[in-house]
Amino acid sequence: MPLSADILLLACYEMGHQPLSLAWPAAVLRQAGHTVTPVDLSVTALPRKTATQARFVAIAAPMHTALRLGVRAAEDVRALNPTAHICFYGLYAWLNADYLLSTVADSVISGEYEEPLVALANHLKESGHPDSPDSDPVAIPGVSTRAGRARPHMSRLSLPVPDRAGLPDLSHYARYLENERYALSGYVESSRGCLHNCRHCPIVPVYGGRFFVVPFETVMADIHQQVAAGAEHITFGDPDFLNGPGHAMKLARALHAAHPNLTFDFTTKVEHIIQHRALMPELRALGAGFIVSAFESVSDEVLRRLQKGHTPADMDLALEILD
């Protein structure tokens, strides 16, 4: 019996941001004609009726905390709906595929996961469970099941504007505090993956030093829709915003031109702060309020082993530049 197209997307933890890990899959799945219910479990309780009726439940696992909470959510879904197909997607899904597939998951997807999610949803709608005798799970690129493992999906996607319909509004999420004033904060990503191979990072085993730029128009459209929803600050959640400095500066300039009072923050490596120190005054003038950077250690030996690409002295220099 073919499965229904109804899909429940679950996110569990994205550091206080409205989850892009729901908005992008929702956009591509809806474009493909599927009915999607996105639920952020960090804000909303599991909708028991929806979980009971959904035939395909996909759980985002972009980080370790999300994975642990996602396993609990999957157990709850399985108790309510034993026949649902449960898929985990994201960085930590692939890193923990053996564990997930031996416990709560029917499938695992990682890398540029939207395309495999659509392919899997189409497959389930047309032919049933991918582990059924008349189905070859390995034939779905990027989808791992108990019957076979697939590599992370690394094809460049033509990503649509994230579809945030049905998500809790921005008032439920982190706010930006400046001069004793709190501002609603939005979240975008202008690139995925990373050029670097730091040995502590979960991105490296999946992307292997590759990164993909999200089209300028897509990022700006997502910024515009979040500003319309009340955002006065934007977090660029790229693993490293300055992996593509030209793309980053084009976005920062366009953001400021369109919304002069909008502030933003981004993440980048210590070595990029030094390498692109000439850009820092302009980024500040365009609205950058702060930068996130992973120092990891003040030991030269630890930093060398982690292949961080900087030294403790570099950290001091980076702080001087930003100060």
Side-chain angles (χ1 to χ4, degrees):
M1 184 75 179
L3 298 182
S4 163
D6 292 338
I7 299 169
L8 176 61
L9 293 178
L10 299 178
C12 300
Y13 175 75
E14 291 201 21
M15 296 183 69
H17 300 294
Q18 191 186 62
L20 193 54
S21 68
L22 296 184
W24 251 327
V28 295
L29 287 163
R30 285 167 177 161
Q31 281 187 351
H34 296 282
T35 302
V36 178
T37 301
V39 176
D40 182 0
L41 294 178
S42 73
V43 173
T44 307
L46 179 70
R48 296 175 65 86
K49 183 177 180 181
T50 305
T52 300
Q53 296 175 346
R55 304 310 297 154
F56 180 26
V57 180
I59 302 174
M63 57 191 77
H64 182 253
T65 301
L67 172 74
R68 296 294 295 271
L69 295 173
V71 169
R72 295 184 193 176
E75 291 169 347
D76 291 341
V77 169
R78 187 68 78 199
L80 293 168
N81 188 350
T83 62
H85 181 95
I86 298 178
C87 172
F88 278 74
Y89 62 96
L91 292 173
Y92 273 84
W94 191 77
L95 294 173
N96 295 275
D98 289 345
Y99 166 73
L100 291 170
L101 291 170
S102 67
T103 53
V104 295
D106 297 301
S107 60
V108 163
I109 298 171
S110 195
E112 301 296 285
Y113 49 71
E114 286 85 357
E115 190 172 78
L117 273 174
V118 171
L120 178 58
N122 292 341
H123 181 80
L124 293 173
K125 181 181 179 181
E126 294 166 2
S127 60
H129 196 287
D131 284 346
S132 63
D134 61 347
S135 174
D136 180 7
V138 181
I140 307 175
V143 179
S144 293
T145 69
R146 297 181 188 93
R149 298 292 190 271
R151 297 290 301 169
H153 192 66
M154 286 290 109
S155 296
R156 186 181 299 275
L157 305 181
S158 178
L159 290 168
V161 178
D163 188 343
R164 297 176 181 274
L167 292 175
D169 63 63
L170 296 179
S171 66
H172 290 83
Y173 297 98
R175 305 190 184 208
Y176 176 57
L177 174 61
E178 185 176 32
N179 297 327
E180 300 183 356
R181 180 179 179 275
Y182 286 95
L184 294 182
S185 180
Y187 179 91
V188 301
E189 292 177 5
S190 67
S191 65
R192 293 162 145 199
C194 188
L195 286 173
H196 301 278
N197 287 291
C198 305
R199 300 185 72 176
H200 67 289
C201 182
I203 299 168
V204 176
V206 175
Y207 281 86
R210 298 182 66 185
F211 90 113
F212 299 94
V213 167
V214 179
F216 170 84
E217 295 77 12
T218 301
V219 182
M220 288 304 301
D222 195 19
I223 290 171
H224 294 327
Q225 72 175 346
Q226 291 183 80
V227 170
E232 297 178 280
H233 179 86
I234 293 291
T235 290
F236 285 95
D238 311 38
D240 196 308
F241 188 55
L242 295 180
N243 268 329
H247 184 56
M249 294 306 298
K250 182 179 179 181
L251 284 166
R253 290 163 184 153
L255 176 153
H256 185 68
H259 308 288
N261 296 320
L262 194 67
T263 54
F264 63 93
D265 70 89
F266 61 89
T267 298
T268 193
K269 286 171 64 68
V270 167
E271 64 188 271
H272 283 172
I273 295 172
I274 297 171
Q275 180 184 1
H276 302 297
R277 63 188 302 169
L279 298 178
M280 298 304 158
E282 183 181 1
L283 284 165
R284 182 68 187 97
L286 294 173
F290 65 94
I291 293 173
V292 176
S293 194
F295 286 14
E296 305 301 347
S297 175
V298 293
S299 161
D300 278 310
E301 178 61 15
V302 171
L303 292 171
R304 184 189 66 79
R305 287 174 178 263
L306 294 179
Q307 296 183 6
K308 283 296 295 181
H310 68 252
T311 66
D314 291 333
M315 295 189 291
D316 291 337
L317 176 56
L319 291 173
E320 290 175 13
I321 291 169
L322 297 182
D323 189 47

